[in-house]
Amino acid sequence: MEAVRFYTQPVDGQVIVRLPAALANIEQLEVIVLPANEPKVHERRKPNPLLMNSLQLSDDLIAPAAPESDWDAH
Protein backbone atom coordinates (compact mmCIF):
# COMPACT_ATOMS: atom_id res chain seq x y z
CA MET A 1 0.00 0.00 0.00
CA GLU A 2 1.32 3.39 -0.91
CA ALA A 3 0.43 6.36 1.25
CA VAL A 4 0.81 10.04 0.45
CA ARG A 5 1.58 12.45 3.28
CA PHE A 6 2.02 16.17 2.85
CA TYR A 7 1.31 19.43 4.63
CA THR A 8 -0.68 22.17 2.93
CA GLN A 9 -2.84 25.20 3.59
CA PRO A 10 -6.54 25.02 2.75
CA VAL A 11 -7.75 27.65 0.28
CA ASP A 12 -11.40 28.68 0.74
CA GLY A 13 -11.94 25.54 2.83
CA GLN A 14 -10.60 23.22 0.11
CA VAL A 15 -7.49 21.11 -0.40
CA ILE A 16 -6.49 19.70 -3.79
CA VAL A 17 -4.45 16.48 -3.76
CA ARG A 18 -2.37 15.55 -6.80
CA LEU A 19 -2.13 11.75 -6.78
CA PRO A 20 1.04 9.87 -7.70
CA ALA A 21 0.87 7.60 -10.74
CA ALA A 22 0.47 4.46 -8.59
CA LEU A 23 -2.78 5.82 -7.14
CA ALA A 24 -4.14 7.67 -10.18
CA ASN A 25 -6.21 4.75 -11.52
CA ILE A 26 -7.65 3.50 -8.24
CA GLU A 27 -11.47 3.55 -8.19
CA GLN A 28 -11.86 4.35 -4.50
CA LEU A 29 -9.53 6.06 -2.02
CA GLU A 30 -9.71 6.71 1.70
CA VAL A 31 -8.89 10.29 2.65
CA ILE A 32 -8.11 11.26 6.25
CA VAL A 33 -7.64 14.93 7.16
CA LEU A 34 -5.98 15.82 10.47
CA PRO A 35 -4.94 19.22 11.81
CA ALA A 36 -1.13 19.41 11.65
CA ASN A 37 -0.63 21.73 14.61
CA GLU A 38 -2.40 19.70 17.32
CA PRO A 39 -0.02 17.84 19.62
CA LYS A 40 -0.44 14.09 19.62
CA VAL A 41 -1.14 12.94 23.16
CA HIS A 42 -0.69 9.27 23.90
CA GLU A 43 -2.35 8.47 27.18
CA ARG A 44 -0.89 5.54 29.05
CA ARG A 45 -3.33 2.66 29.14
CA LYS A 46 -4.39 1.38 32.55
CA PRO A 47 -5.91 -2.00 33.36
CA ASN A 48 -9.45 -2.19 34.61
CA PRO A 49 -9.37 -1.85 38.43
CA LEU A 50 -11.88 -4.72 38.73
CA LEU A 51 -9.16 -7.09 37.48
CA MET A 52 -6.68 -6.13 40.19
CA ASN A 53 -5.53 -9.17 42.22
CA SER A 54 -7.89 -11.45 40.26
CA LEU A 55 -5.12 -13.63 38.80
CA GLN A 56 -3.33 -16.30 40.76
CA LEU A 57 -0.51 -18.32 39.20
CA SER A 58 -0.40 -21.93 40.37
CA ASP A 59 2.27 -23.26 37.97
CA ASP A 60 6.01 -22.75 37.83
CA LEU A 61 6.49 -20.48 34.80
CA ILE A 62 10.21 -21.32 34.55
CA ALA A 63 9.89 -25.13 34.64
CA PRO A 64 9.81 -26.95 31.27
CA ALA A 65 6.38 -27.84 29.93
CA ALA A 66 7.47 -31.39 29.02
CA PRO A 67 9.91 -33.73 30.71
CA GLU A 68 13.47 -33.58 29.41
CA SER A 69 13.24 -37.21 28.24
CA ASP A 70 10.60 -36.20 25.64
CA TRP A 71 13.24 -34.07 23.91
CA ASP A 72 15.64 -36.93 23.20
CA ALA A 73 16.11 -37.46 19.47
CA HIS A 74 16.84 -41.02 18.39
Side-chain angles (χ1 to χ4, degrees):
M1 177 174 86
E2 183 176 345
V4 177
R5 182 179 197 168
F6 63 94
Y7 295 94
T8 187
Q9 303 277 333
V11 177
D12 294 328
Q14 297 181 352
V15 174
I16 297 175
V17 178
R18 185 171 306 275
L19 297 175
L23 296 175
N25 295 324
I26 304 292
E27 290 183 22
Q28 187 175 10
L29 299 170
E30 177 180 2
V31 178
I32 300 173
V33 179
L34 301 171
N37 57 357
E38 286 189 12
K40 294 180 176 127
V41 177
H42 295 286
E43 196 172 306
R44 184 175 169 93
R45 294 180 58 173
K46 298 176 185 168
N48 187 325
L50 297 174
L51 297 176
M52 187 181 299
N53 299 323
S54 65
L55 178 67
Q56 293 180 350
L57 298 177
S58 59
D59 290 335
D60 183 1
L61 298 179
I62 299 174
E68 197 171 321
S69 61
D70 289 352
W71 290 94
D72 290 340
H74 296 282

